[in-house]
Amino acid sequence: MPFGGADLHFHSSASDGVEAPAALVARALAAGLSVAALTDHDTVSGVEAFEAAAAGTGLVAAGGAELSVDEGGEDVHLLGLFVDPAEPDLASRLEFFREVRTRRGEMIVERLNGLGVALDLELVRAGVGEGAFGRPHVARALVARGVVGTVAEAYDRFLGEGAPAFVPKAKWGLGEAIGAVRRAGGLAVLAHPGWYADPHGLFRRGRDLGLDGIEVFHPDHPEREEAFLRDAGDLGLLVTAGSDFHAEADGGRSLGAPRLAEPFWERLARAATARRREAARVPVDLSPR
C-alpha cells in the first residue's frame, strides 16, 4: 500500500481542539494518512485514547505535546514528538503547566466580567471538559454568547496580547524544554518557524541546545518551505510536517494538509527509535495499529 504521508502536529479536546482524540483517528484515515501524531498543548493526556482508537486501522498513531517557550521574550512553540508520557520529570512539569493554564483561564474570565462582558465560569469550564483550559475555550464562549462574531474577533478585541483581558502564560525556557523532551525519549522540533522574527537564528540557537528538527511544512508559511528545508539540511536537523489542525472551520485547515513525505518520515522514525534507546525509556511503537 502506498505511503499516504504523515501529519505530526494537530490538537484535540484534550487541549484547545474541538474533537475528541478518538474522533481524530477517523479524520486521519479519511485524509488518507499513513502516520498521525497528536500534539496537544502542554499535555499528553489524549494520546492513549488516540492510539487505542487506531487499533486495527493500519494507521501509525503516536503522540507528543506542544510546549510554550519564552526565548528572549518571544513566544516560541516546541513540539516534543514521541515522548514517553510516563517519564516522571516531564509528567510532573506538564501537570504544573496544566494547573497554571487553569488559573490563567479563570483570570481571563474574571477580567472579562470586570469589563462588563458577562461569562459564566462554570459554563466555560463545561466547554473545557477534561481538556487543558486555554484562550480558545474563552473565545468560543464569547462567540456562543454573541459578544463577538468570530474567534478571531475575540482575540482582537479581548484576548490577544495587549488586549484588555489578556493574561500572560507561564512558559518553559528553550533549553529546559528541549532537555525535558530528550530525557523523555522524544524528539524536540521547532513548530511553525514562520511565526518567529528570526527563525534562522533560532534554528542555530536551538541546534546548540539539542534541537532535533524543524517543522518545515506548515500551512502558515508555504512560501518559506524551501528556505527552511535548506536550513534543516545545513544544520543537520530533521524535517517534519504538521497541519496544526484544531477544528473543521479553522481558517480552512484540514488534517493532513500539509503532510510529510516517506523519506523524511523514515529518517524521523529511525531517530525516534534511537532516542528512546539513548534515553533508556521504553521503546516507541511506530508500527501500524
Side-chain angles (χ1 to χ4, degrees), residues 48-140:
E48 183 177 0
F50 178 71
E51 292 179 346
T57 67
L59 182 71
V60 178
E66 184 174 7
L67 310 179
S68 294
V69 169
D70 182 348
E71 172 59 13
E74 186 172 32
D75 186 20
V76 170
H77 291 190
L78 185 81
L79 296 171
L81 295 176
F82 319 121
V83 292
D84 177 3
E87 198 279 319
D89 290 342
L90 179 67
S92 174
R93 197 76 171 125
L94 289 178
E95 181 57 31
F96 165 76
F97 278 107
R98 182 184 180 88
E99 293 170 359
V100 169
R101 273 180 169 270
T102 297
R103 181 55 189 146
R104 181 193 188 212
E106 293 169 347
M107 291 174 65
I108 290 171
V109 173
E110 289 171 6
R111 288 198 178 186
L112 285 167
N113 288 335
L115 292 166
V117 180
L119 281 185
D120 186 322
L121 179 59
E122 294 312 310
L123 287 178
V124 179
R125 284 184 187 279
V128 176
E130 295 300 313
F133 204 158
R135 283 184 297 170
H137 298 106
V138 181
R140 292 173 196 138

Side-chain angles (χ1 to χ4, degrees), residues 3-14:
F3 185 73
D7 187 338
L8 305 169
H9 178 184
F10 54 88
H11 303 273
S12 78
S13 57

Side-chain angles (χ1 to χ4, degrees), residues 207 214 216 226-239 264 267:
R207 189 270 314 271
I214 301 169
V216 168
E226 288 188 13
F228 293 154
L229 197 58
R230 284 195 299 272
D231 282 336
D234 291 344
L235 295 170
L237 295 172
L238 297 164
V239 171
F264 291 125
R267 184 182 172 208

Side-chain angles (χ1 to χ4, degrees), residues 80-276:
L81 295 176
F82 319 121
V83 292
D84 177 3
E87 198 279 319
D89 290 342
L90 179 67
S92 174
R93 197 76 171 125
L94 289 178
E95 181 57 31
F96 165 76
F97 278 107
R98 182 184 180 88
E99 293 170 359
V100 169
R101 273 180 169 270
T102 297
R103 181 55 189 146
R104 181 193 188 212
E106 293 169 347
M107 291 174 65
I108 290 171
V109 173
E110 289 171 6
R111 288 198 178 186
L112 285 167
N113 288 335
L115 292 166
V117 180
L119 281 185
D120 186 322
L121 179 59
E122 294 312 310
L123 287 178
V124 179
R125 284 184 187 279
V128 176
E130 295 300 313
F133 204 158
R135 283 184 297 170
H137 298 106
V138 181
R140 292 173 196 138
L142 290 170
V143 173
R145 288 272 290 114
V147 177
V148 295
T150 65
V151 167
E153 185 185 353
Y155 276 82
D156 289 342
R157 288 181 55 189
F158 299 108
L159 307 178
E161 188 167 357
F166 175 75
V167 176
K169 62 183 173 183
K171 300 173 188 175
W172 302 71
L174 182 58
E176 175 195 19
I178 290 172
V181 168
R182 293 176 67 103
R183 286 192 299 274
L187 299 176
V189 174
L190 189 72
H192 39 64
W195 287 20
Y196 312 125
D198 178 19
H200 308 291
L202 190 55
F203 298 157
R204 286 164 175 77
R205 294 196 301 278
R207 189 270 314 271
D208 292 343
L209 292 168
L211 185 72
D212 294 297
I214 301 169
E215 189 178 44
V216 168
F217 304 102
H218 184 279
D220 285 352
H221 55 242
E223 73 288 351
R224 303 179 73 177
E225 290 171 357
E226 288 188 13
F228 293 154
L229 197 58
R230 284 195 299 272
D231 282 336
D234 291 344
L235 295 170
L237 295 172
L238 297 164
V239 171
T240 74
S243 63
D244 208 354
F245 176 83
H246 287 73
E248 189 169 5
D250 186 20
R253 292 180 186 173
S254 59
L255 202 68
R259 62 189 68 193
L260 194 66
E262 189 169 17
F264 291 125
W265 164 248
E266 289 179 344
R267 184 182 172 208
L268 195 70
R270 288 194 298 270
T273 300
R275 175 59 49 74
R276 281 291 187 98

